[in-house]
Amino acid sequence: MKNHVTVGVDGSDESLAAARWAAREAVVRQVPLRLVHAVDWLLDPVLPGVGRQDADSWTDRAVAEAAEGLRRRHPRLEITTRCPTGRPAAALAAEAVDCALLVLGSRGLGGLTGFLLGSVALSTVAATDTPVVLVRSTGEPDTASESEAEPGAGAGIVVGIDIQEACDRVLTFAFEEAERRGCTLQVVHTWKMPPAYSYVPLFDSDNERDIQRSVARTVEDMLLPWRRRFPDVDVSTGVYEGSASERLVQASRGAGLVVVGRHLRHSPLGPHLGPVTHAVLHHTAAPVAVVAHP
């Protein structure tokens, strides 16, 4: 049974922010937390004048210090550490096989530029079937204790769906998270006017409203099984005409978590997350959960 949360740490501010988020999530789920630092010495050679033993010692110390800091915040949380050797993305994906959730950090670029999703994070997200949460570093110290454990406490969850896709895993993850936190859940779906309609002279706003109502009904029908399964979750829907990525980024402002999906497919050209998921990962300040689905 996948009964723990895993987080990748490397001593950076963003990875420590991810570790703090992961610890709070583990407390909410009432499961252990595993800290993982993976190093590929072939890609990350030892600096001149620094021996391999010294480098290994630094790695162990960095992970141990991160774990100790989390234990002070969450004294009842079971925390373990691992330092596997190998390519970081592959090592993290391997560690994710037997966990319920993998958490990684990403770096903010400031202003309207967005966030930097490094090659390790991108490759890891694309290489694992386990849900992955990308957490941004705010640059501010986190003083939350175990009594203030909920990640994004008080903030709702936003999930993006596509009525043309199988969204069962994405919706289940989002509803379960909302139920655990006791927070609201906003379901966002967008649609676009069929290109053929641009050539219809008599097409008017009434037709657009009819399409809007039809799509909204389809979304509600799609959500019905989850509403019945999670009756205590306060769910709202947002159905819009236009860009899915823009709407999700807008809806994410102030959210505690954004949930998006990615297809379980392996391209010979490398990792592929899809344009909407890619845009949300790069332009959403809230933590983003990427859930793989067929």
Side-chain angles (χ1 to χ4, degrees):
M1 181 178 178
K2 297 183 176 183
N3 64 346
H4 67 275
V5 173
T6 295
V7 58
V9 295
D10 60 10
S12 65
D13 289 343
E14 52 267 26
S15 78
L16 295 178
R20 292 190 292 267
W21 192 96
R24 296 194 296 270
E25 179 71 14
V27 171
V28 170
R29 291 172 176 248
Q30 298 182 343
V31 298
L33 175 68
R34 178 188 295 172
L35 274 62
V36 176
H37 178 76
V39 177
D40 184 350
W41 293 120
L42 295 178
L43 297 179
D44 188 15
V46 178
L47 295 174
V50 179
R52 178 63 55 80
Q53 186 175 2
D54 293 332
D56 288 340
S57 176
W58 177 89
T59 297
D60 293 340
R61 185 168 64 253
V63 176
E65 289 177 355
E68 183 58 30
L70 295 176
R71 290 189 181 102
R72 287 196 296 269
R73 289 184 173 89
H74 310 286
R76 291 188 291 273
L77 176 61
E78 179 185 342
I79 300 175
T80 58
T81 63
R82 280 178 52 78
C83 296
T85 300
R87 293 179 180 270
L92 288 167
E95 292 290 335
V97 169
D98 65 344
C99 74
L101 186 69
L102 176 64
V103 184
L104 303 173
S106 63
R107 184 165 67 253
L109 298 178
L112 299 176
T113 308
F115 295 89
L116 177 63
L117 187 64
S119 60
V120 171
L122 178 63
S123 298
T124 304
V125 170
T128 179
D129 296 350
T130 299
V132 182
V133 175
L134 280 298
V135 178
R136 323 306 188 191
S137 173
T138 62
E140 298 177 358
D142 184 350
T143 58
S145 64
E146 191 175 46
S147 62
E148 305 169 294
E150 295 80 359
I157 294 174
V158 174
V159 58
I161 65 168
D162 184 344
I163 59 176
Q164 305 298 326
E165 304 282 352
C167 296
D168 291 17
R169 292 186 184 181
V170 177
L171 285 170
T172 297
F173 181 92
F175 271 85
E176 287 179 346
E177 281 294 303
E179 184 179 59
R180 287 190 192 99
R181 303 179 187 202
C183 69
T184 60
L185 174 63
Q186 181 183 6
V187 181
V188 175
H189 172 71
T190 63
W191 60 276
K192 291 185 177 180
M193 195 69 67
Y197 281 110
S198 63
Y199 301 101
V200 180
L202 298 180
F203 187 81
D204 57 25
S205 58
D206 288 338
N207 300 107
E208 184 174 345
R209 284 193 291 269
D210 288 342
I211 295 176
Q212 172 75 15
R213 284 192 290 266
S214 176
V215 174
R217 283 195 299 269
T218 302
V219 170
E220 288 298 335
D221 290 343
M222 187 177 189
L223 294 178
L224 189 57
W226 281 271
R227 287 185 183 273
R228 289 173 175 168
R229 181 179 169 187
F230 301 92
D232 295 330
V233 175
D234 182 5
V235 186
S236 63
T237 58
V239 178
Y240 310 97
E241 193 276 333
S243 166
S245 56
E246 289 181 6
R247 285 293 183 177
L248 280 170
V249 171
Q250 291 174 9
S252 72
R253 293 167 185 161
L257 180 68
V258 179
V259 183
V260 293
R262 76 164 184 88
H263 283 290
L264 277 171
R265 62 172 178 245
H266 301 283
S267 168
L269 300 178
H272 179 72
L273 300 179
V276 174
T277 296
H278 191 272
V280 171
L281 285 171
H282 283 276
H283 296 286
T284 299
V288 179
V290 181
V291 181
H293 64 86

